[in-house]
Amino acid sequence: MSYPEFLEYPEPRYHGDRGEVNAAFRPADTPPDISSPGGGATHYLATNESTGGEFGLYKVELGARAAGAKTHFHKAMSESFYILSGELELYNGERWVTGREGDFLYVPVGGLHAFKNVTDEPMSMLLLFSPGAPREEYFERVAEMSQRDGEELKRFRIRHDSYFVEDFEPEGD
C-alpha cells in the first residue's frame, strides 16, 4: 500500500517538548455511575470534562426488552455505537438493523437514529459522542424527565442536543 508523502494531521494542541503525565485509568470492576431498574447501567468511561471536550465514551448496559431511545438527531455531535455483547436494534435513519457483538454504527451530526433491545437478554455497548458534551445530566435525569409534561421534556432534550422527531410532529399525528 502506498501513502501520500504529506499527510494532513490536525494542528498541534500540545506544545511541550517532553510530554507529560496525564493519562487516566479506570479499572473494569469500577461500579456503574448510574443503575436503573430492569438491569440497566451506565458507566462514564470518559466524560466531556475528563477529555477536555474531545469526546465522551460510555459503556451502556440495557436489560431485556429495554426501550432505549426513539428516533432523534444531534446538531452538535456525532454518536457511535459498538456492540460488546447481546443484540441491539439500531435505526440508521432508513431502517432498523440488528447489531450484534462487534458490530458498529456511526451516526454523523444531524443523522436520524434510534435504538432498543427487543430480546429477552441483556446487552452492552459503547457509546461515543464526538466532540464531547456534558451528557451525564442527560443520562442521570432522562427517566425522571420523561415523566414530565411534553414541553418540559422537550426543553430538557434540546438543552442536551437531543432533537426527538416526536417533539416536532404536528399535533394529532
Side-chain angles (χ1 to χ4, degrees):
M1 175 177 241
S2 116
Y3 296 96
E5 186 173 333
F6 298 101
L7 300 175
E8 291 189 34
Y9 274 76
E11 287 295 317
R13 294 181 292 158
Y14 175 73
H15 300 287
D17 294 327
R18 302 197 186 276
E20 57 189 61
V21 177
N22 60 6
F25 176 73
R26 188 176 196 279
D29 61 356
T30 303
D33 296 281
I34 305 171
S35 294
S36 57
T42 302
H43 303 258
Y44 300 155
L45 303 179
T47 63
N48 172 66
E49 183 177 347
S50 71
T51 67
E54 291 190 35
F55 67 93
L57 181 64
Y58 306 88
K59 179 182 177 190
V60 177
E61 299 164 348
L62 295 178
R65 303 276 169 198
K70 294 179 182 178
T71 304
H72 65 287
F73 63 94
H74 307 289
K75 292 185 176 184
M77 61 192 171
S78 65
E79 186 171 0
S80 297
F81 300 80
Y82 181 80
I83 309 303
L84 297 169
S85 67
E87 291 185 4
L88 184 68
E89 293 300 305
L90 296 156
Y91 182 64
N92 67 9
E94 293 181 316
R95 63 185 175 89
W96 288 94
V97 296
T98 301
R100 295 179 179 85
E101 183 178 333
D103 288 342
F104 176 77
L105 176 68
Y106 168 66
V107 183
V109 174
L112 292 169
H113 60 287
F115 62 91
K116 58 187 172 185
N117 182 358
V118 299
T119 73
D120 291 327
E121 299 296 325
M123 66 79 55
S124 67
M125 65 179 159
L126 293 177
L127 281 182
L128 174 71
F129 295 97
S130 179
R135 299 292 289 169
E136 296 76 35
E137 182 194 21
Y138 181 81
F139 289 120
E140 292 169 12
R141 297 191 61 209
V142 68
E144 165 204 343
M145 294 303 292
S146 294
Q147 304 305 311
R148 307 276 177 97
D149 72 43
E151 280 305 308
E152 190 174 2
L153 175 58
K154 181 179 175 180
R155 284 191 304 274
F156 173 78
R157 288 171 166 173
I158 290 171
R159 175 182 163 171
H160 290 286
D161 189 32
S162 295
Y163 296 84
F164 281 73
V165 172
E166 68 184 13
D167 289 339
F168 300 98
E169 292 176 340
E171 293 294 320
D173 282 358

